[in-house]
Structures are given as structure tokens and as C-alpha cells.
Amino acid sequence: MNNLPYSEKVMDHFTNPRNVGEIPDASGVGTVGNPICGDVMKMFIKIDNGIIVDAKFKTFGCGAAVATSSMVTEMVKGKSIEEALKISNKAVAEALGGLPPIKMHCSVLAEEALRSALADYYKKIGKEPPFTITEHKHEHGH
Ligand code: FES
């Protein structure tokens, strides 16, 4: 146990983030900003035969954003696009052992960066993405 509001897994992925960097010949790149805090995340994915074979990210953001991007890039590797689209920000937060409620919006950034990178991939291959990119809704009252 630690006495921080973050799980050991969050601390681990924050201090030792996986998959930081860029993929020069990425199949899709997505950049999203979090309107709540102004943090920015860029995600790169490499797709081969419908399977995500590599994922990397760069985040100009808080610790929870770094940890969730790190986790989501780990989670999508080896998955099909359909499977990757099913990864919700809640699943990412759960995989990290939970996030404080006030930091849940940070995990939304990771989910949206992934979807945005996938949308970019569809654009590059000249197809309509079979999903919609959700616009950020401001959540009040938390
Ligand atoms: Fe901005 Fe976490 S505070 S993503």
C-alpha cells in the first residue's frame, strides 16, 4: 500500500511508462486535447492485416494521462480494430487498479486518442470509420 490517491499500478505506469515515442511509419495518428485541463495526447498505431501490431504515445499531460496512455498502448497490442474499439476508458482505469474520480477525465483522453488514431487509419485507407468519434462533453458537478 502507498498513501497516495493512486494505485501502485498507476504509479508504476507513470514512473515507467510503456511505449513512449513515435511510430515513424504509423498506420494512424491521433491527437486529442482534454478541454477540462488543456492536456494533449498523441497516439500512433501500426496496423497489419487488421491487427494492431504496435502502439506508441506522447502525452503532454498529468500523471494519470501518462499512466492511462501507457496502459492503453499495452492493451491494444495484438488486438483487432474491433476489439480495440471496445476498450473503454473505464476498462483502462480498471486495468490500472482504479483512478481517483477527479482523474477519470484523464482516462477519457487515452480512449479518444486511440479512437482518433483508428479514425486516421481509416481515412488513410480511404474508408469511412465504422464508428463515430465522440465529442467531449463537459462534466460538471464533480
Ligand atoms: Fe489533464 Fe489529467 S489533468 S489529462
Side-chain angles (χ1 to χ4, degrees), residues 30-66:
T31 306
V32 291
N34 190 328
I36 299 170
C37 59
D39 289 350
V40 178
M41 188 184 296
K42 193 167 184 183
M43 192 159 301
F44 304 78
I45 48 168
K46 180 94 184 145
I47 295 172
D48 191 17
N49 261 327
I51 302 291
I52 299 172
V53 291
D54 201 10
K56 289 199 190 298
F57 77 94
K58 279 187 161 177
T59 294
F60 183 76
C62 72
V66 172

Side-chain angles (χ1 to χ4, degrees), residues 87-110:
I87 299 174
S88 66
N89 71 304
K90 283 199 181 74
V92 178
E94 264 165 37
L96 283 168
L99 280 173
I102 195 169
K103 303 302 279 184
M104 275 308 283
H105 71 93
C106 314
S107 64
V108 175
L109 199 60

Side-chain angles (χ1 to χ4, degrees), residues 68-94:
T68 48
S69 342
S70 168
M71 182 51 95
V72 86
T73 50
E74 284 289 275
M75 288 168 85
V76 295
K77 276 197 227 170
K79 287 206 162 62
S80 67
I81 296 171
E82 292 74 30
E83 286 169 333
L85 285 168
K86 286 190 197 126
I87 299 174
S88 66
N89 71 304
K90 283 199 181 74
V92 178
E94 264 165 37

